[in-house]
Amino acid sequence: MHKKGVTCLTGMMISHTVAIFASTSSDGIVLVWKMVLPSTAGVDCKVSCLESLSVGSKPMVALSLAELPGNTGTTEDLVLAMGGLDQKVHLYCSDQTGKFVRACELKGHTDWIRSLDFSSPVCLGSENKNLFLVSSSQDRSIRIWKMVSHVSSANSELPSKREDIGLTSYIEGPIFVIGSTCYQVSLESLLIGHEDWVYSVEWQPPLMLNGSEYRQPMSILSASMDKTMMIWRPERTTGIWINAVTVGELSHSALGFYGGHWAPDGESILAHGYGGSFHMWRNIGMDAENWQPQKVPSGHFASVSDVAWARSGEYLLSVSYDQTTRIFAPWRNEIWLGNKASWHEIARPQVHGHDINCVAIIQGTGNHRFVCGADEKVARVFEAPLSFLQTLNHANFQKSSCINDFPEGVQILGANMSALGLSQKPIYAHADSEAPSRLHNDMPDSLETIPDAVPTVLTEPPVEEKLAWHTLWPESHKLYGHGNELLSLCCDHEGKLVASSCKSQSATVAEIWLWLVGSWKAVGRLQSHSLTVTQMEFSHDDSFLLSVSRDRQFSVFSIKKSGEGASHQLIAKHEAHKRIIWACSWNPFGHEFATGSRDKTVKIWAIENGSSVKQLMTLPQFRDSVTALSWVGRDPACNAGLLAVGMDNGLIELWSLSGGRPATACGSELLPFSAVLAVRFDPFLCHISTVRRLAWRNFDDSDSRALQLASCGADHCVRVFEVHCR
């Protein structure tokens, strides 16, 4: 077994039941494995390590395995290519005993070798004497090596290197003998075109001709950190390899491609980028090639820290440590599984320079807005541009009430982001030329401006390039005041107050700030906790603010809003758990709330007479730390609802809660508060790491028996579950 992380795998089937594959790791060792597949169901496959190869002190990072020309379909006819940090391609061939022996070294690259790929020898023709190997490197070049086989005899001499006609016959290459066959390796072509490291090269898969014969197309796909993929083919008349197709991603946030792959039919190519994104192009041309970008799944590529639903549930907003804010929504005219609208990422409002920790959608009437906090001391407010509102109309088949909310003559179409700044500047339509310049002067952190984005109204789910570049939201305000990185945000249900907190190790820094929406003035600083406040939430009548902290305590503040501010008073503070409290959530129908902790417990509390708090019950201990809670109401008459509980192991449970209200309309006796486990989600549907946040979707008009629950986790995933209540 390897002692360090595996960096590359390659393999091939040598029969219907036997596979050979090789692995390499940063420990500098290459292992060759044999896998025997079972002939009957229910029997495990057998995997054995055939041998261990050590090429040198520098690790190998690229491998490729193929059958030698003239093979007979046994392990004695395999060739293994290795490339890595020593800038050489090492060829090892299996001998008569099945062991891999060193054949030769191919020199030419001047930097680390990143990718290797053999062509398919069984598809190159009936004579089957040639095998091609393509290699790519951080020296920005691609090299094609040609391996020619010659059957040797006792009286025959080594083949002359000048037997071929063409340029390659003059380029010296090594010669080696395996069994009775002699092989000559020469440089077929040197491909220059990429402007940065070439991370991946791959031959086009073999194509079937006439229903029985396979042929290897002479086409190579390369992917580079210069943000492009290229298809290379030999020119028909001269045979010189040329760049026939170039596709790429021109977004300011793109950092290049790590790999590229062909579709089996050769009509589509897929790239995966440094930023975790997929990019796909398909040849839609009839008489000539025409490669166009296609829709692909998208999502975060780091831990997702927070999610929030729009006020009417039109879309889901998520933020992540990948430094992006993303909006997902069902696209109504895209049907999935017969009757379900498919979900797509329809906008990427923020591409930031810091990990984003929290977000709050500003509720109430008016334009779509949100405020987010990252690993910086500033909270940032964003407002939806006109292009997004029109895109939302196409997704939902309904007219947004906010399209005409912009001041007359100042319509904001979208946003640009400076190359060296963190702010996103609005793009105006029908505005005075002074407006953009004035805004530019107000934000001196921009040292360089990149080419303007083109705000786009999307009539179909967007491709990656449009998402990363043309769907930004303008930043309208910055909220200064905290002394450390922002960690938690929440907004009241009227959309008038926003509460924020930051990481802290002292009571002074742990204070909660209240901001007045609109003027964005700080109207309150709430002090109660001594360590970081992990989550906050307003009660549904906005009369109380609940906060939980790493100091194992929760605090409840009464909030009274006035025209230009708000007053607050601490009414309760309890050390509620034995470990850190990670989560809290209010009952939508009353003043009961739940707290969840690292001590694996969830406790239900209630406010009495608006001035004190008592504990109603403790749910049975959970399997792991409780990290997320979300309470949704079902029946106000009996105060019934569902409490979603997310845990550190990624699992989610739903608990049915009810009680605490009079048994009859005129009675004074309260029903006992009860909790019953309603459903435990299938582990295969849940996260595989910590659940960071849970949020129930807000529906204006919907079937009361159908609910949707959004979750996000440290496994980089955002999930939406549909819950049908009986």
Side-chain angles (χ1 to χ4, degrees), residues 103-104 158-161 173-177 182-185:
C104 65
L158 292 178
S160 169
K161 296 185 179 64
I175 297 175
F176 60 92
V177 178
C182 176
Y183 298 93
Q184 176 186 353
V185 184

Side-chain angles (χ1 to χ4, degrees), residues 304-306 534-535 548 577 580-585 594-602 622-630 644-653 687 689-695 711-714:
V304 186
S305 50
D306 205 355
T534 55
Q535 190 178 357
V548 295
H577 293 268
I580 295 171
I581 307 177
W582 287 123
C584 62
S585 185
T595 57
S597 167
R598 182 180 283 178
D599 64 9
K600 304 180 183 180
T601 63
V602 172
F622 290 84
R623 301 179 181 181
D624 209 338
S625 303
V626 176
T627 56
L629 295 172
S630 186
V645 180
M647 288 170 273
D648 198 35
N649 57 9
L651 299 181
I652 299 173
E653 295 181 1
H687 298 273
S689 189
T690 306
V691 179
R692 296 290 189 192
R693 193 74 75 223
L694 295 168
S711 67
C712 66

Side-chain angles (χ1 to χ4, degrees), residues 693-713:
R693 193 74 75 223
L694 295 168
W696 292 98
R697 186 177 185 181
N698 307 311
F699 283 106
D700 282 342
D701 297 305
S702 66
D703 181 3
S704 61
R705 302 178 65 86
L707 298 171
Q708 287 185 354
L709 174 68
S711 67
C712 66

Side-chain angles (χ1 to χ4, degrees), residues 10 39 101 227 254 288 293 314 393 405 417 431 492 499 551 575 609 668:
T10 185
S39 56
V101 297
K227 309 178 187 179
E314 305 102 314
N393 292 338
D405 287 347
M417 188 170 67
D492 69 357
D551 62 11
E575 185 168 344
N609 303 320
S668 59

Side-chain angles (χ1 to χ4, degrees), residues 4 23 42 84 124 129 147 162 210 241 251-252 346 381 418 420-421 423 573 577 603 641 643 648 678 687 719:
K4 295 185 179 180
S23 61
L124 291 171
K129 292 185 178 181
M147 183 184 299
R162 298 181 183 271
N210 302 322
W241 285 79
S251 165
H252 70 292
I346 64 170
V381 183
S418 58
L420 300 181
S423 298
K573 178 179 178 180
H577 293 268
K603 297 183 179 182
L643 179 65
D648 198 35
H687 298 273
R719 299 173 183 267

Side-chain angles (χ1 to χ4, degrees), residues 193-345:
H194 286 293
E195 299 177 354
D196 209 334
W197 298 355
V198 185
Y199 256 100
S200 170
V201 283
E202 185 178 278
W203 288 94
Q204 182 177 340
L207 298 178
M208 179 180 288
L209 302 178
N210 302 322
S212 59
E213 181 184 1
Y214 281 92
R215 298 289 294 182
Q216 169 72 69
M218 297 302 286
S219 296
I220 295 172
L221 175 66
S222 62
S224 169
M225 290 298 286
D226 65 4
K227 309 178 187 179
T228 66
M229 286 205 303
M230 296 182 179
I231 298 177
W232 305 83
R233 299 190 185 103
E235 205 272 331
R236 291 184 178 180
T237 56
T238 64
I240 298 176
W241 285 79
I242 61 172
N243 170 22
V245 176
T246 300
V247 296
E249 212 269 294
L250 303 179
S251 165
H252 70 292
S253 60
L255 294 175
F257 296 140
Y258 267 176
H261 302 280
W262 291 94
D265 62 358
E267 293 299 315
S268 297
I269 53 177
L270 178 72
H272 57 93
Y274 179 88
S277 57
F278 287 118
H279 308 256
M280 187 171 73
W281 290 266
R282 182 164 183 82
N283 181 17
I284 61 174
M286 300 298 291
D287 299 328
E289 287 186 294
N290 181 13
W291 293 83
Q292 293 297 322
Q294 305 294 308
K295 297 188 292 288
V296 291
S298 65
H300 293 285
F301 61 94
S303 176
V304 186
S305 50
D306 205 355
V307 291
W309 288 98
R311 59 180 177 268
S312 299
E314 305 102 314
Y315 57 83
L316 178 66
L317 184 71
S318 63
V319 296
S320 166
Y321 294 166
D322 67 7
Q323 306 182 353
T324 66
T325 300
R326 305 180 187 229
I327 291 179
F328 300 91
W331 203 279
R332 300 299 180 184
N333 60 349
E334 297 256 338
I335 303 302
W336 178 64
L337 293 181
N339 58 355
K340 301 290 185 182
S342 62
W343 284 74
H344 297 270
E345 183 181 352

